[in-house]
Amino acid sequence: MKKLLLTGFVPFLDFPVNPTEEIVKKLDGETINGYQIISKVLPVDFQQSEKEIIHHYEEIQPDAVVSLGLAAGRQHITPERIAINCKDGAPDNNGVICEDEPISNDGPAGFFSTLPIRAMVNSLKEHGYPAKISNTAGTYLCNNVMYAVLQKIEKERTPIPAGFIHIPASHELAIQLKNSASWSQRDLTEAIRICLTTL
């Protein structure tokens, strides 16, 4: 059976819960469209998150990689089109701040997702879920792991579907935030399940 590496993140910054963590734990071990889901939760750490996802990739040798991240404030499920070669933004969970730093000193400016992002968006809409393609994964840890995985795949293997999907806040998280759009955790999980069926 084909294997799919699915990753999420632990809570970070002012977000005491991270709905991606619950999604990946919920889907771990499921079989979706011929893929066995193998889930991992990553730290929000500029030093470790990239190393950990590459370690998981090398250990599992997956046939597809989908990483999830929280984009509190967004109203849609947003598959990302591109990752850029830049670390920047807020402190990570260890207080490390990166400013205008390259992810890879010898890497290109960016890598495009190899996920069927248009098919994902169309399928989500057909099932009644708001979705659109995002043209920026930011410069924080989400962008970092997306770039690292796509670079690793390009260097070492035949291309496989790989990329990143941002999700809105869950209701549980939105209760603790001000003026934030939110989805039920159940709908967030089902939306990602729908995305995975397009592979």
Side-chain angles (χ1 to χ4, degrees):
M1 182 177 293
K2 294 183 291 185
K3 295 175 289 186
L4 186 149
L5 173 59
L6 180 67
T7 71
F9 284 103
V10 299
F12 65 105
L13 297 176
D14 296 325
F15 307 119
V17 296
N18 191 329
T20 68
E21 182 175 16
E22 187 169 336
I23 292 171
V24 300
K25 289 179 177 178
K26 178 72 173 178
L27 296 181
D28 187 35
E30 284 194 20
T31 299
I32 299 175
N33 196 27
Y35 287 92
Q36 178 190 7
I37 308 302
I38 302 171
S39 295
K40 301 293 180 180
V41 179
L42 303 174
V44 177
D45 183 321
F46 277 114
Q47 304 300 318
Q48 293 300 319
S49 60
E50 179 181 334
K51 292 178 182 178
E52 286 199 17
I53 196 169
I54 296 302
H55 169 75
H56 296 317
Y57 174 85
E58 291 175 339
E59 181 179 57
I60 296 166
Q61 291 293 298
D63 301 286
V65 182
V66 177
S67 295
L68 308 178
L70 170 66
R74 291 190 187 180
Q75 300 176 353
H76 299 70
I77 299 292
T78 49
E80 296 295 342
R81 191 188 301 273
I82 190 170
I84 63 171
N85 191 6
C86 182
K87 298 181 185 181
D88 194 276
D92 68 14
N93 281 356
N94 289 320
V96 174
I97 298 174
C98 294
E99 188 173 78
D100 304 329
E101 293 183 22
I103 296 169
S104 172
N105 289 324
D106 62 351
F111 284 104
F112 284 103
S113 172
T114 55
L115 297 176
I117 58 175
R118 181 62 65 187
M120 287 180 172
V121 166
N122 290 343
S123 184
L124 286 165
K125 288 180 177 179
E126 288 169 5
H127 284 85
Y129 292 105
K132 61 183 179 181
I133 291 172
S134 167
N135 292 312
T136 174
T139 53
Y140 198 50
L141 273 300
C142 297
N143 175 76
N144 197 161
V145 299
M146 179 181 177
Y147 185 98
V149 167
L150 290 168
Q151 183 178 40
K152 178 75 170 176
I153 292 169
E154 182 176 87
K155 284 183 175 180
E156 297 194 355
R157 295 184 62 190
T158 302
I160 61 172
F164 201 95
I165 303 171
H166 268 117
I167 67 168
S170 61
H171 294 333
E172 180 185 3
L173 179 57
I175 288 171
Q176 303 175 63
L177 304 176
K178 293 183 179 180
N179 303 317
S180 179
S182 64
W183 289 33
S184 71
Q185 187 69 45
R186 179 179 178 180
D187 280 349
L188 289 171
T189 302
E190 184 56 29
I192 296 305
R193 188 179 280 112
I194 290 167
C195 286
L196 300 184
T197 64
T198 67
L199 296 178

